[in-house]
Amino acid sequence: MAVQSFQGKYDPSDYDPDLRCDPDQGYKASYIKIWSCGMPHMRSFHFAWLSFFMAFLGWFAFAPLIPEIRKDLDLTDNQIWTANITSVGSTIVARFMVGPMCDRFGPKIIQVCLLCIGAFFTYLAPVITDATGLIIIRLFIGIVGSTFVCTQYWSAMLFTKETAGAAQAISGGWGNLGGGVTQIFMAGIYSGIRAGGNSRAASWRLAMIVPASLLLCTAVGMYLLSEDSPKGDYKELIKSGHKKKVDMADSARKGFAESATWVLFAQYAGCFGVELTVNNSLTSYFVDKFDLPLVTASAIASSFGGMNLFARAIGGFLSDGASKRMGMRGRLIVQFACLFAEGVLLVIFASMDVLAPAIIFLVLFSLSVQASEGATFGIVPYVYPPATGAVAGVVGAGGNVGAVSWGFIFLFGGMSASQSFQTVGYIVIALSFLTVFVFLRGDHEGLIWNPIRNTADFSAHEDDEKARPAEKDPLSAKKAAAAIDA
């Protein structure tokens, strides 16, 4: 594929014809050629999910090692949960800020900066000597969790609306897969270092150097080898006059003003927030409740995050498929069903006192929670298209608000871990019914009704694209049916 300039604009003839780029949507791809690394679409897409995967590796590197760190630092359960809460709490503010920053500067440079911040503080992990140090370091490492917003925004900028649900679900799911891989990866790194004759204190500290180095290497590669959009990097496009400069405050104001943004914010607390809470505690849960050794508990815990390989994508594909047949109402039905099933399965999993059925329901619960995330972000691009970054930032922050809230239940609820998980499950069931109140402007139906239907058509997209709802596009069925090359 010939490219006019690495950092400059792309001519339509440069694009891979298999991607079926749509000129009416800024030459975004309507087909996910998953095995391709061609520029600009697919290589940038792969960096979008890979960077989030690596962010997860650094973000949750402590979690599987907590049983050993607890012994080394003589930590109490309250101190551990305080560290867990701070690790996801710092991401809340960061996600609110990162969304409008993506609209203004582009997702790539923001993602690079976030990975570098995460690498720096992960490198500082070996200097931790007490609970206070652990809490502070995890607070700053938590900033890297806002890479999720860039990942989702980036995917929406590379693929058409008809394919965005699948693209965002795949990139988010494969990124979230880092949460599962971290469980067994860090336990393996620790065990290998320990087997080399090192003390417990030295082993977990040396293990933290590995995710820090991976974060830094990914940031460098992404900066050199990817693009913000099908037309090139935002900086060059603005300089050449091919893109308007977005005002961050205006983007935030418009995206934050939509009621649907905040409904999805609450519901994302009930899916991604739950996933973060489980990632932080699952290894310890199996060690404490079933008296398993660290490596075995970590392996079982990894199955929860490992489902992200396909589970979140299932939510995106179901959302896109339902939209072909039923429009926006189809997307909303899928999202409601996934959230409701998630809550029910979490309650059942937490009630299991025998290991085998607990693992079975853990896998089923994992499938539903991650499908819920994919289905939720299948709706996000329709909330306010000119401020997609701002909307994604708010909704993404909802996941971290949820994780902090669920953490407080564990910390101050006075209940066992099983009872705390069941309480969260009942809350998720209640949150699923908020789908009734997802009202979108433009020609979109609601789950039952939509009182603001057709109040705006978003005809002037920030990139001067002709933004059209997938549900009304006569070509959408063909585009969604050929969404991915597996």
Side-chain angles (χ1 to χ4, degrees):
M1 181 178 66
V3 179
Q4 291 181 339
S5 170
F6 182 75
Q7 294 293 341
K9 300 187 303 294
Y10 286 81
D11 185 89
S13 63
D14 295 328
Y15 302 132
D16 184 343
D18 289 341
L19 299 180
R20 304 176 191 133
C21 299
D22 187 346
D24 288 335
Q25 296 191 50
Y27 291 97
K28 295 179 181 180
S30 59
Y31 180 76
I32 306 174
K33 192 176 181 180
I34 205 68
W35 301 113
S36 170
C37 289
M39 285 285 273
H41 299 84
M42 293 313 304
R43 189 185 301 174
S44 300
F45 172 75
H46 287 306
F47 268 112
W49 72 260
L50 179 63
S51 57
F52 186 40
F53 178 98
M54 291 301 177
F56 244 112
L57 200 64
W59 192 11
F60 286 92
F62 283 97
L65 304 183
I66 284 296
E68 302 302 316
I69 297 173
R70 174 167 52 191
K71 297 173 185 176
D72 178 43
L73 302 182
D74 193 25
L75 302 174
T76 65
D77 287 343
N78 279 359
Q79 288 171 331
I80 291 171
W81 273 106
T82 299
N84 288 346
I85 290 170
T86 59
S87 74
V88 295
S90 59
T91 315
I92 297 172
V93 176
R95 287 192 175 190
F96 275 113
M97 296 174 63
V98 163
M101 289 172 72
C102 285
D103 284 327
R104 170 63 180 85
F105 299 105
K108 185 180 81 171
I109 191 62
I110 304 302
Q111 193 84 319
V112 168
C113 292
L114 291 171
L115 291 187
C116 289
I117 292 171
F120 175 77
F121 286 104
T122 307
Y123 274 128
L124 291 180
V127 306
I128 296 172
T129 58
D130 54 23
T132 301
L134 177 66
I135 291 168
I136 292 172
I137 291 297
R138 293 204 71 184
L139 172 73
F140 286 104
I141 291 176
I143 294 172
V144 80
S146 59
T147 53
F148 169 77
V149 177
C150 299
T151 295
Q152 295 296 281
Y153 179 91
W154 209 348
S155 299
M157 293 301 102
L158 294 169
F159 295 93
T160 62
K161 281 184 166 187
E162 296 78 25
T163 312
Q168 290 180 309
I170 293 171
S171 62
W174 288 4
N176 282 358
L177 180 62
V181 171
T182 301
Q183 300 289 336
I184 194 167
F185 177 77
M186 290 304 297
I189 294 294
Y190 169 83
S191 298
I193 296 173
R194 191 85 162 90
N198 294 284
S199 66
R200 174 188 293 119
S203 296
W204 74 259
R205 288 176 170 84
L206 290 172
M208 296 301 295
I209 296 174
V210 177
S213 301
L214 291 173
L215 282 168
L216 188 59
C217 291
T218 303
V220 173
M222 182 168 55
Y223 180 76
L224 296 174
L225 300 172
S226 64
E227 301 274 18
D228 282 319
S229 74
K231 297 179 181 180
D233 282 334
Y234 279 22
K235 180 179 179 181
E236 299 300 323
L237 293 174
I238 292 172
K239 185 183 296 184
S240 64
H242 287 81
K243 178 176 173 56
K244 298 176 183 177
K245 182 182 291 186
V246 175
D247 180 79
M248 288 176 53
D250 186 60
S251 170
R253 179 179 60 81
K254 291 178 178 177
F256 293 3
E258 293 298 314
S259 63
T261 300
W262 297 99
V263 175
L264 296 176
F265 167 93
Q267 292 184 309
Y268 205 60
C271 47
F272 188 61
V274 172
E275 181 178 358
L276 292 178
T277 302
V278 173
N279 276 329
N280 258 328
S281 59
L282 199 55
T283 296
S284 297
Y285 179 80
F286 277 103
V287 168
D288 295 339
K289 184 169 185 175
F290 297 101
D291 196 26
L292 297 176
L294 175 65
V295 174
T296 302
S298 295
I300 295 172
S302 71
S303 67
F304 174 78
M307 295 290 285
N308 271 298
L309 183 62
F310 62 89
R312 184 164 180 146
I314 287 175
F317 283 123
L318 289 174
S319 180
D320 285 350
S323 130
K324 277 197 306 179
R325 295 169 177 79
M326 302 177 64
M328 182 55 65
R329 180 168 290 164
R331 291 188 187 273
L332 296 173
I333 290 173
V334 167
Q335 192 232 16
F336 164 77
C338 289
L339 275 171
F340 185 83
E342 174 201 334
V344 171
L345 289 167
L346 177 54
V347 171
I348 296 174
F349 161 71
S351 68
M352 294 291 105
D353 294 320
V354 180
L355 182 60
I359 294 173
I360 291 172
F361 280 102
L362 173 67
V363 171
L364 293 174
F365 160 62
S366 178
L367 176 64
S368 63
V369 69
Q370 290 152 19
S372 297
E373 295 161 9
T376 297
F377 263 84
I379 300 168
V380 166
Y382 295 88
V383 175
Y384 197 90
T388 298
V391 176
V394 173
V395 177
N400 293 82
V401 171
V404 171
S405 301
W406 316 145
F408 280 131
I409 289 175
F410 281 81
L411 185 58
F412 300 117
M415 299 178 286
S416 67
S418 294
Q419 292 170 326
S420 297
F421 276 133
Q422 287 180 321
T423 300
V424 173
Y426 289 123
I427 294 173
V428 172
I429 292 172
L431 288 173
S432 69
F433 288 94
L434 291 181
T435 304
V436 173
F437 302 103
V438 176
F439 303 137
L440 304 175
R441 302 183 190 280
D443 192 11
H444 301 299
E445 296 178 321
L447 185 63
I448 298 175
W449 90 108
N450 182 5
I452 62 172
R453 186 174 182 176
N454 289 322
T455 55
D457 61 8
F458 306 117
S459 58
H461 193 278
E462 65 170 277
D463 279 332
D464 296 320
E465 300 167 11
K466 296 177 182 177
R468 54 179 186 270
E471 291 76 13
K472 299 301 180 182
D473 182 359
L475 298 178
S476 63
K478 294 181 181 179
K479 292 177 180 178
I484 183 169
D485 176 22

